[in-house]
């Protein structure tokens, strides 16, 4: 009776996953370059803000699954184990991605918990037009990522446009962070996304992913190259 040789499937590199993530972010980065960044009403350019948010979070979601599958395979997990873990995911944000990685890779847990502060735009109060940079502590980076995921949900389901001042409905679950907590308060219950918000979202999801991925890679003896990661400013 003839037998078939068992052929092992090569595991892609973690760096290849990073490279795909970087490529996925390039569209959002190019959209940002189209914005004039001038005072006053941006007109049709206001539509760039929700497009950047949607594109960035989509790229992150693909990366979070791809990276985790490769890292688990690198650590000896079977296809069944990987499918069982990732198959239960539902729109992971930076906070849940951090929780997943700390659970799957205990040696990375301490570094993931410490994280790193990120520079984002400080959203001015209503009536104030000056935007300034501020350092957001890692715990708040994780919390704000949950609110940005709510922004993404509302945009995706047509409950907000993202290019004007409007009412942003609250989350279905009371435990979820409202989208309004990361948007500009324009008074009368209305909030706006604006380009500064889109930049902040992109920085949280791109650089936040880097912090977590670096911790995981280090825990399994690897180092990642992020030199081509788009910087949203």
């Amino acid at each position: 009776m003839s037998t078939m040789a068992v052929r092992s499937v090569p595991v892609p590199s973690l760096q290849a996953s990073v490279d795909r993530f970087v490529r996925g972010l390039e569209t959002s980065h190019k959209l940002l370059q189209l914005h004039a960044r001038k005072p006053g009403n941006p007109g049709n350019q206001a539509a760039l803000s929700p497009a950047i948010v949607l594109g960035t979070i989509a790229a992150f979601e693909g990366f979070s699954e791809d990276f985790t599958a490769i890292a688990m395979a690198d650590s000896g997990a079977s296809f069944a184990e990987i499918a069982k873990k990732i198959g239960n995911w539902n729109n992971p944000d930076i906070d849940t991605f951090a929780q997943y990685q700390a659970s799957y890779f205990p040696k990375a847990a301490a570094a993931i918990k410490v994280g790193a502060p990120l520079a984002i735009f400080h959203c001015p109060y209503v009536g104030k037009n000056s935007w300034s940079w501020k350092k957001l502590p890692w715990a708040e980076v994780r919390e704000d990522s949950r609110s940005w995921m709510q922004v993404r949900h509302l945009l995706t389901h047509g409950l907000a446009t993202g290019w004007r001042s409007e009412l942003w409905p609250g989350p279905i679950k009371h435990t979820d962070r409202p989208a309004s907590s990361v948007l500009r308060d324009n008074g009368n219950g209305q909030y706006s996304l604006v380009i500064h918000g889109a930049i902040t979202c992109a920085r949280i999801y791109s650089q936040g992913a880097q912090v977590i991925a670096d911790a995981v890679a280090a825990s399994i003896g690897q180092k990642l190259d992020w030199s081509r990661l788009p910087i949203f400013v």
Side-chain angles (χ1 to χ4, degrees):
M1 182 175 66
S2 63
T3 59
M4 297 181 62
V6 177
R7 300 169 62 184
S8 61
V9 179
V11 178
S13 69
L14 286 178
Q15 185 60 52
S17 180
V18 169
D19 293 342
R20 285 189 288 271
F21 182 40
V22 167
R23 192 176 306 121
L25 291 170
E26 286 176 354
T27 297
S28 292
H29 192 248
K30 288 183 179 297
L31 288 174
L32 176 59
Q33 310 312 310
L34 296 175
H35 201 288
R37 309 285 289 274
K38 295 179 180 179
N41 190 330
N44 288 338
Q45 290 182 15
L48 293 169
S49 298
I52 290 169
V53 169
L54 291 172
T56 299
I57 294 182
F60 167 77
E61 288 181 327
F63 169 72
S64 64
E65 296 179 358
D66 186 47
F67 179 87
T68 303
I70 294 173
M72 290 182 68
D74 252 350
S75 301
S78 68
F79 287 146
E81 290 173 313
I82 295 170
K84 183 177 180 180
K85 292 291 185 183
I86 299 178
N88 294 325
W89 286 14
N90 182 27
N91 303 131
D93 49 41
I94 290 293
D95 184 47
T96 51
F97 184 53
Q99 293 178 42
Y100 291 149
Q101 302 312 303
S103 173
Y104 302 161
F105 306 98
K107 291 182 179 179
I112 290 173
K113 182 177 181 180
V114 173
L118 298 184
I120 66 161
F121 273 114
H122 172 66
C123 187
Y125 294 105
V126 60
K128 302 292 184 181
N129 293 319
S130 59
W131 292 82
S132 59
W133 290 97
K134 74 170 183 178
K135 284 285 188 178
L136 193 67
W138 179 242
E140 293 181 37
V141 169
R142 293 176 58 165
E143 285 295 296
D144 280 6
S145 77
R146 297 172 57 205
S147 295
W148 283 113
M149 184 57 74
Q150 287 299 315
V151 171
R152 181 259 192 195
H153 289 332
L154 296 176
L155 293 174
T156 301
H157 293 285
L159 298 175
T161 68
W163 49 261
R164 63 185 179 187
S165 179
E166 58 196 319
L167 172 67
W168 293 74
I172 295 176
K173 298 180 181 178
H174 74 279
T175 53
D176 287 337
R177 290 282 305 279
S180 59
S181 67
V182 291
L183 301 174
R184 181 173 183 178
D185 185 352
N186 294 319
N188 298 319
Q190 297 197 335
Y191 296 81
S192 57
L193 172 53
V194 305
I195 197 65
H196 300 82
I199 292 171
T200 291
C201 174
R203 291 177 70 87
I204 284 176
Y205 271 89
S206 59
Q207 296 182 36
Q210 178 183 355
V211 170
I212 299 166
D214 277 345
V216 172
S219 75
I220 56 178
Q222 297 192 39
K223 184 175 177 60
L224 303 173
D225 178 8
W226 295 88
S227 59
R228 298 180 60 189
L229 180 71
I231 304 300
F232 294 84
V233 293

